[in-house]
Amino acid sequence: MNYIEEFGWDDSIQTIDKENAARVITVQKNNYRIADGNKEYLAHLSGRFLNQAMSSLDFPAVGDWVEVQKLVDEDKAVIKQVLPRKSQFVRQAAGMKTEAQIVAANMDTVFIVNSLNHDLNVRRIERYVLATYESGAVPVVVLTKKDECSSEEVAAAVSQVEEVAIGVTIVPVSNVTGDGFEALMAYLQPGKTAALLGSSGVGKSTLVNTLLDKEVQEIKGIREDDSRGRHTTTHREMFVLPNGALLIDTPGMRELQLWEGETAIGAAFEDIEALAEECHFKDCRHSAEPGCRVNEALEDGELSEGRFRSYLKLQRELAYEKRRQDQKAQLEEKNKWKKVSKGLKSKYKHRNVR
């Protein structure tokens, strides 16, 4: 009997026999652990997969559905292909190299986790909301450590977040009292997948332990001087909750460098986009043009300077990232044809020698 539906399998969106499918539940460097509802397997990529993969986006991520060849007696499997994703949270990989990194795939909801202390960062939340909209999942902001704050402090924090996460559900929670968890469970239905994203020390691992009602993730304290934590989760992993929902935990990200987001910036900044629609000139740059509705909103306090500066900064960042990606694509294409040309020359030279 196959229990793959427990991992969120949906016949309507998949393209292969479910007997040959499994879901990636853990990724550690080049090692993959997959599950098909009956058992787990340690999996590796087939040689053909490795030869055909063109970029980091082609490789399996936690949450991916994959076609596999199972070696049941050995608890091992070979991954043949990654099935089409319905959503994927992508960021620019850390470092100077231009490369995409998939943080999680096929999630229905992204819980953007931040703590209710002086590490609360609305600009960071803005970035996560934008990247989540781009991913195809639904963003939900989770504010942890509610028990450490007064009701007035919680209300003030929620108000700050509401200004940058317009229309996004905001849920303050306490792992100590359990307050707020009922609201979270509305997004954690059987067969549905959520991913926890955020910086180190904001309480993601504690959330996992509370939702699972057991200690599965190591928890380390935070520094009292700046409320910042150390990395506790070292790899991405999917857990099955007692009610049948699926939860992906991820290591804390020191920063979120955007990989893409042009199509979602209108959703993340719908307030500014709506104001821009009311400008007198359609190509208004929102600087000194007459009849600029955005400038009017800035002058009368309807729109904050910080919010508008962030909007412009993210637009510049996305444009810069796109140029980098285009340059990389052009270089890769050039190198590919160089190799093809070199191979053909070698082939004809060998023929002539014979």
Side-chain angles (χ1 to χ4, degrees), residues 228-253:
R228 293 185 180 274
R230 294 172 290 168
H231 288 282
T232 51
T233 302
T234 58
H235 60 276
R236 300 173 186 89
E237 185 170 0
M238 177 186 287
F239 299 94
V240 182
L241 301 185
N243 74 334
L246 301 142
L247 186 65
I248 299 173
D249 190 18
T250 64
M253 289 186 271

PDB file of all heavy atoms in Angstrom, residues 228-253:
ATOM      1  N   ARG A 228      20.567  38.732  19.019  1.00  0.00           N
ATOM      2  CA  ARG A 228      20.889  37.920  17.845  1.00  0.00           C
ATOM      3  C   ARG A 228      21.299  36.516  18.286  1.00  0.00           C
ATOM      4  O   ARG A 228      21.971  36.338  19.291  1.00  0.00           O
ATOM      5  CB  ARG A 228      22.014  38.551  17.023  1.00  0.00           C
ATOM      6  CG  ARG A 228      21.587  39.869  16.379  1.00  0.00           C
ATOM      7  CD  ARG A 228      22.682  40.402  15.472  1.00  0.00           C
ATOM      8  NE  ARG A 228      22.270  41.662  14.858  1.00  0.00           N
ATOM      9  CZ  ARG A 228      21.571  41.743  13.744  1.00  0.00           C
ATOM     10  NH1 ARG A 228      21.198  40.631  13.114  1.00  0.00           N
ATOM     11  NH2 ARG A 228      21.224  42.908  13.239  1.00  0.00           N
ATOM     12  N   GLY A 229      20.895  35.549  17.490  1.00  0.00           N
ATOM     13  CA  GLY A 229      21.194  34.170  17.825  1.00  0.00           C
ATOM     14  C   GLY A 229      22.281  33.580  16.948  1.00  0.00           C
ATOM     15  O   GLY A 229      22.762  34.194  16.013  1.00  0.00           O
ATOM     16  N   ARG A 230      22.681  32.351  17.284  1.00  0.00           N
ATOM     17  CA  ARG A 230      23.637  31.614  16.467  1.00  0.00           C
ATOM     18  C   ARG A 230      22.887  30.582  15.645  1.00  0.00           C
ATOM     19  O   ARG A 230      21.778  30.190  15.980  1.00  0.00           O
ATOM     20  CB  ARG A 230      24.657  30.909  17.379  1.00  0.00           C
ATOM     21  CG  ARG A 230      25.548  31.874  18.147  1.00  0.00           C
ATOM     22  CD  ARG A 230      26.381  31.127  19.162  1.00  0.00           C
ATOM     23  NE  ARG A 230      25.555  30.619  20.259  1.00  0.00           N
ATOM     24  CZ  ARG A 230      25.981  29.751  21.158  1.00  0.00           C
ATOM     25  NH1 ARG A 230      27.194  29.268  21.096  1.00  0.00           N
ATOM     26  NH2 ARG A 230      25.187  29.345  22.128  1.00  0.00           N
ATOM     27  N   HIS A 231      23.529  30.119  14.558  1.00  0.00           N
ATOM     28  CA  HIS A 231      22.901  29.103  13.730  1.00  0.00           C
ATOM     29  C   HIS A 231      22.688  27.835  14.552  1.00  0.00           C
ATOM     30  O   HIS A 231      23.593  27.335  15.211  1.00  0.00           O
ATOM     31  CB  HIS A 231      23.793  28.764  12.529  1.00  0.00           C
ATOM     32  CG  HIS A 231      23.827  29.850  11.509  1.00  0.00           C
ATOM     33  ND1 HIS A 231      22.813  30.053  10.609  1.00  0.00           N
ATOM     34  CD2 HIS A 231      24.754  30.805  11.254  1.00  0.00           C
ATOM     35  CE1 HIS A 231      23.111  31.076   9.825  1.00  0.00           C
ATOM     36  NE2 HIS A 231      24.275  31.552  10.200  1.00  0.00           N
ATOM     37  N   THR A 232      21.491  27.314  14.562  1.00  0.00           N
ATOM     38  CA  THR A 232      21.213  26.049  15.240  1.00  0.00           C
ATOM     39  C   THR A 232      20.883  24.987  14.209  1.00  0.00           C
ATOM     40  O   THR A 232      21.457  23.914  14.211  1.00  0.00           O
ATOM     41  CB  THR A 232      20.036  26.218  16.220  1.00  0.00           C
ATOM     42  OG1 THR A 232      18.935  26.824  15.532  1.00  0.00           O
ATOM     43  CG2 THR A 232      20.427  27.110  17.381  1.00  0.00           C
ATOM     44  N   THR A 233      19.959  25.273  13.295  1.00  0.00           N
ATOM     45  CA  THR A 233      19.651  24.344  12.217  1.00  0.00           C
ATOM     46  C   THR A 233      20.756  24.433  11.176  1.00  0.00           C
ATOM     47  O   THR A 233      21.086  25.513  10.704  1.00  0.00           O
ATOM     48  CB  THR A 233      18.294  24.715  11.565  1.00  0.00           C
ATOM     49  OG1 THR A 233      17.293  24.700  12.578  1.00  0.00           O
ATOM     50  CG2 THR A 233      17.922  23.720  10.484  1.00  0.00           C
ATOM     51  N   THR A 234      21.337  23.286  10.808  1.00  0.00           N
ATOM     52  CA  THR A 234      22.472  23.286   9.889  1.00  0.00           C
ATOM     53  C   THR A 234      22.097  22.843   8.488  1.00  0.00           C
ATOM     54  O   THR A 234      22.900  22.940   7.567  1.00  0.00           O
ATOM     55  CB  THR A 234      23.583  22.355  10.421  1.00  0.00           C
ATOM     56  OG1 THR A 234      23.036  21.033  10.582  1.00  0.00           O
ATOM     57  CG2 THR A 234      24.113  22.851  11.755  1.00  0.00           C
ATOM     58  N   HIS A 235      20.892  22.332   8.312  1.00  0.00           N
ATOM     59  CA  HIS A 235      20.466  21.886   6.985  1.00  0.00           C
ATOM     60  C   HIS A 235      18.955  22.028   6.874  1.00  0.00           C
ATOM     61  O   HIS A 235      18.263  22.223   7.870  1.00  0.00           O
ATOM     62  CB  HIS A 235      20.890  20.432   6.737  1.00  0.00           C
ATOM     63  CG  HIS A 235      20.299  19.468   7.725  1.00  0.00           C
ATOM     64  ND1 HIS A 235      20.865  19.219   8.965  1.00  0.00           N
ATOM     65  CD2 HIS A 235      19.171  18.698   7.674  1.00  0.00           C
ATOM     66  CE1 HIS A 235      20.123  18.351   9.619  1.00  0.00           C
ATOM     67  NE2 HIS A 235      19.099  18.019   8.866  1.00  0.00           N
ATOM     68  N   ARG A 236      18.458  21.936   5.660  1.00  0.00           N
ATOM     69  CA  ARG A 236      17.023  22.032   5.425  1.00  0.00           C
ATOM     70  C   ARG A 236      16.392  20.665   5.614  1.00  0.00           C
ATOM     71  O   ARG A 236      16.901  19.666   5.111  1.00  0.00           O
ATOM     72  CB  ARG A 236      16.758  22.578   4.019  1.00  0.00           C
ATOM     73  CG  ARG A 236      17.356  23.945   3.812  1.00  0.00           C
ATOM     74  CD  ARG A 236      17.252  24.411   2.367  1.00  0.00           C
ATOM     75  NE  ARG A 236      17.972  25.677   2.198  1.00  0.00           N
ATOM     76  CZ  ARG A 236      19.255  25.777   1.891  1.00  0.00           C
ATOM     77  NH1 ARG A 236      19.958  24.672   1.684  1.00  0.00           N
ATOM     78  NH2 ARG A 236      19.825  26.948   1.785  1.00  0.00           N
ATOM     79  N   GLU A 237      15.258  20.649   6.298  1.00  0.00           N
ATOM     80  CA  GLU A 237      14.615  19.363   6.589  1.00  0.00           C
ATOM     81  C   GLU A 237      13.104  19.520   6.673  1.00  0.00           C
ATOM     82  O   GLU A 237      12.598  20.536   7.158  1.00  0.00           O
ATOM     83  CB  GLU A 237      15.158  18.806   7.909  1.00  0.00           C
ATOM     84  CG  GLU A 237      14.639  17.421   8.245  1.00  0.00           C
ATOM     85  CD  GLU A 237      15.357  16.792   9.425  1.00  0.00           C
ATOM     86  OE1 GLU A 237      16.278  17.438   9.990  1.00  0.00           O
ATOM     87  OE2 GLU A 237      15.014  15.656   9.782  1.00  0.00           O
ATOM     88  N   MET A 238      12.393  18.510   6.183  1.00  0.00           N
ATOM     89  CA  MET A 238      10.935  18.505   6.234  1.00  0.00           C
ATOM     90  C   MET A 238      10.456  17.584   7.337  1.00  0.00           C
ATOM     91  O   MET A 238      10.964  16.462   7.497  1.00  0.00           O
ATOM     92  CB  MET A 238      10.354  18.052   4.887  1.00  0.00           C
ATOM     93  CG  MET A 238       8.831  17.950   4.876  1.00  0.00           C
ATOM     94  SD  MET A 238       8.224  17.241   3.329  1.00  0.00           S
ATOM     95  CE  MET A 238       8.513  18.626   2.234  1.00  0.00           C
ATOM     96  N   PHE A 239       9.466  18.047   8.108  1.00  0.00           N
ATOM     97  CA  PHE A 239       8.879  17.255   9.188  1.00  0.00           C
ATOM     98  C   PHE A 239       7.385  17.052   8.925  1.00  0.00           C
ATOM     99  O   PHE A 239       6.729  17.920   8.351  1.00  0.00           O
ATOM    100  CB  PHE A 239       9.049  17.962  10.540  1.00  0.00           C
ATOM    101  CG  PHE A 239      10.481  18.190  10.931  1.00  0.00           C
ATOM    102  CD1 PHE A 239      11.112  19.395  10.641  1.00  0.00           C
ATOM    103  CD2 PHE A 239      11.202  17.207  11.589  1.00  0.00           C
ATOM    104  CE1 PHE A 239      12.429  19.613  10.990  1.00  0.00           C
ATOM    105  CE2 PHE A 239      12.532  17.411  11.958  1.00  0.00           C
ATOM    106  CZ  PHE A 239      13.148  18.621  11.648  1.00  0.00           C
ATOM    107  N   VAL A 240       6.885  15.917   9.348  1.00  0.00           N
ATOM    108  CA  VAL A 240       5.445  15.652   9.277  1.00  0.00           C
ATOM    109  C   VAL A 240       4.857  15.936  10.648  1.00  0.00           C
ATOM    110  O   VAL A 240       5.249  15.327  11.650  1.00  0.00           O
ATOM    111  CB  VAL A 240       5.146  14.194   8.871  1.00  0.00           C
ATOM    112  CG1 VAL A 240       3.643  13.967   8.772  1.00  0.00           C
ATOM    113  CG2 VAL A 240       5.819  13.852   7.544  1.00  0.00           C
ATOM    114  N   LEU A 241       3.927  16.881  10.736  1.00  0.00           N
ATOM    115  CA  LEU A 241       3.308  17.236  12.009  1.00  0.00           C
ATOM    116  C   LEU A 241       2.263  16.194  12.407  1.00  0.00           C
ATOM    117  O   LEU A 241       1.793  15.425  11.565  1.00  0.00           O
ATOM    118  CB  LEU A 241       2.657  18.623  11.911  1.00  0.00           C
ATOM    119  CG  LEU A 241       3.588  19.787  11.550  1.00  0.00           C
ATOM    120  CD1 LEU A 241       2.823  21.105  11.622  1.00  0.00           C
ATOM    121  CD2 LEU A 241       4.810  19.838  12.451  1.00  0.00           C
ATOM    122  N   PRO A 242       1.908  16.141  13.682  1.00  0.00           N
ATOM    123  CA  PRO A 242       0.928  15.145  14.142  1.00  0.00           C
ATOM    124  C   PRO A 242      -0.388  15.168  13.379  1.00  0.00           C
ATOM    125  O   PRO A 242      -1.038  14.137  13.230  1.00  0.00           O
ATOM    126  CB  PRO A 242       0.724  15.525  15.618  1.00  0.00           C
ATOM    127  CG  PRO A 242       2.021  16.145  16.025  1.00  0.00           C
ATOM    128  CD  PRO A 242       2.482  16.902  14.815  1.00  0.00           C
ATOM    129  N   ASN A 243      -0.794  16.337  12.863  1.00  0.00           N
ATOM    130  CA  ASN A 243      -2.074  16.417  12.150  1.00  0.00           C
ATOM    131  C   ASN A 243      -1.942  16.109  10.658  1.00  0.00           C
ATOM    132  O   ASN A 243      -2.914  16.176   9.911  1.00  0.00           O
ATOM    133  CB  ASN A 243      -2.708  17.798  12.327  1.00  0.00           C
ATOM    134  CG  ASN A 243      -2.005  18.882  11.510  1.00  0.00           C
ATOM    135  OD1 ASN A 243      -0.816  18.760  11.199  1.00  0.00           O
ATOM    136  ND2 ASN A 243      -2.731  19.928  11.166  1.00  0.00           N
ATOM    137  N   GLY A 244      -0.697  15.808  10.201  1.00  0.00           N
ATOM    138  CA  GLY A 244      -0.493  15.458   8.799  1.00  0.00           C
ATOM    139  C   GLY A 244      -0.006  16.600   7.925  1.00  0.00           C
ATOM    140  O   GLY A 244       0.218  16.414   6.726  1.00  0.00           O
ATOM    141  N   ALA A 245       0.180  17.779   8.500  1.00  0.00           N
ATOM    142  CA  ALA A 245       0.757  18.887   7.739  1.00  0.00           C
ATOM    143  C   ALA A 245       2.266  18.678   7.623  1.00  0.00           C
ATOM    144  O   ALA A 245       2.873  17.933   8.396  1.00  0.00           O
ATOM    145  CB  ALA A 245       0.460  20.216   8.421  1.00  0.00           C
ATOM    146  N   LEU A 246       2.880  19.346   6.645  1.00  0.00           N
ATOM    147  CA  LEU A 246       4.313  19.223   6.407  1.00  0.00           C
ATOM    148  C   LEU A 246       4.985  20.565   6.652  1.00  0.00           C
ATOM    149  O   LEU A 246       4.486  21.606   6.228  1.00  0.00           O
ATOM    150  CB  LEU A 246       4.560  18.747   4.972  1.00  0.00           C
ATOM    151  CG  LEU A 246       3.900  17.394   4.688  1.00  0.00           C
ATOM    152  CD1 LEU A 246       3.327  17.354   3.291  1.00  0.00           C
ATOM    153  CD2 LEU A 246       4.876  16.260   4.888  1.00  0.00           C
ATOM    154  N   LEU A 247       6.111  20.528   7.360  1.00  0.00           N
ATOM    155  CA  LEU A 247       6.794  21.756   7.750  1.00  0.00           C
ATOM    156  C   LEU A 247       8.273  21.652   7.405  1.00  0.00           C
ATOM    157  O   LEU A 247       8.952  20.714   7.807  1.00  0.00           O
ATOM    158  CB  LEU A 247       6.628  21.997   9.253  1.00  0.00           C
ATOM    159  CG  LEU A 247       7.173  23.310   9.807  1.00  0.00           C
ATOM    160  CD1 LEU A 247       6.406  24.505   9.234  1.00  0.00           C
ATOM    161  CD2 LEU A 247       7.113  23.316  11.326  1.00  0.00           C
ATOM    162  N   ILE A 248       8.767  22.634   6.631  1.00  0.00           N
ATOM    163  CA  ILE A 248      10.182  22.678   6.249  1.00  0.00           C
ATOM    164  C   ILE A 248      10.902  23.686   7.131  1.00  0.00           C
ATOM    165  O   ILE A 248      10.527  24.865   7.176  1.00  0.00           O
ATOM    166  CB  ILE A 248      10.340  23.076   4.768  1.00  0.00           C
ATOM    167  CG1 ILE A 248       9.665  22.049   3.859  1.00  0.00           C
ATOM    168  CG2 ILE A 248      11.813  23.214   4.404  1.00  0.00           C
ATOM    169  CD1 ILE A 248       9.632  22.459   2.390  1.00  0.00           C
ATOM    170  N   ASP A 249      11.922  23.219   7.842  1.00  0.00           N
ATOM    171  CA  ASP A 249      12.751  24.116   8.653  1.00  0.00           C
ATOM    172  C   ASP A 249      14.033  24.395   7.876  1.00  0.00           C
ATOM    173  O   ASP A 249      14.557  23.520   7.186  1.00  0.00           O
ATOM    174  CB  ASP A 249      13.071  23.478  10.003  1.00  0.00           C
ATOM    175  CG  ASP A 249      13.713  24.475  10.974  1.00  0.00           C
ATOM    176  OD1 ASP A 249      13.587  25.697  10.740  1.00  0.00           O
ATOM    177  OD2 ASP A 249      14.335  24.039  11.961  1.00  0.00           O
ATOM    178  N   THR A 250      14.536  25.612   7.976  1.00  0.00           N
ATOM    179  CA  THR A 250      15.724  26.013   7.230  1.00  0.00           C
ATOM    180  C   THR A 250      16.718  26.716   8.143  1.00  0.00           C
ATOM    181  O   THR A 250      16.330  27.314   9.148  1.00  0.00           O
ATOM    182  CB  THR A 250      15.354  26.985   6.083  1.00  0.00           C
ATOM    183  OG1 THR A 250      14.825  28.197   6.646  1.00  0.00           O
ATOM    184  CG2 THR A 250      14.310  26.370   5.155  1.00  0.00           C
ATOM    185  N   PRO A 251      18.018  26.664   7.809  1.00  0.00           N
ATOM    186  CA  PRO A 251      19.000  27.407   8.610  1.00  0.00           C
ATOM    187  C   PRO A 251      18.739  28.905   8.538  1.00  0.00           C
ATOM    188  O   PRO A 251      18.207  29.407   7.546  1.00  0.00           O
ATOM    189  CB  PRO A 251      20.332  27.057   7.925  1.00  0.00           C
ATOM    190  CG  PRO A 251      20.077  25.799   7.165  1.00  0.00           C
ATOM    191  CD  PRO A 251      18.645  25.890   6.735  1.00  0.00           C
ATOM    192  N   GLY A 252      19.111  29.622   9.588  1.00  0.00           N
ATOM    193  CA  GLY A 252      18.935  31.068   9.592  1.00  0.00           C
ATOM    194  C   GLY A 252      19.776  31.730   8.511  1.00  0.00           C
ATOM    195  O   GLY A 252      20.908  31.323   8.253  1.00  0.00           O
ATOM    196  N   MET A 253      19.221  32.734   7.866  1.00  0.00           N
ATOM    197  CA  MET A 253      19.938  33.473   6.829  1.00  0.00           C
ATOM    198  C   MET A 253      20.376  34.822   7.380  1.00  0.00           C
ATOM    199  O   MET A 253      19.538  35.590   7.862  1.00  0.00           O
ATOM    200  CB  MET A 253      19.046  33.658   5.599  1.00  0.00           C
ATOM    201  CG  MET A 253      18.800  32.381   4.830  1.00  0.00           C
ATOM    202  SD  MET A 253      17.871  32.657   3.287  1.00  0.00           S
ATOM    203  CE  MET A 253      16.181  32.494   3.884  1.00  0.00           C
TER     204      MET A 253
END
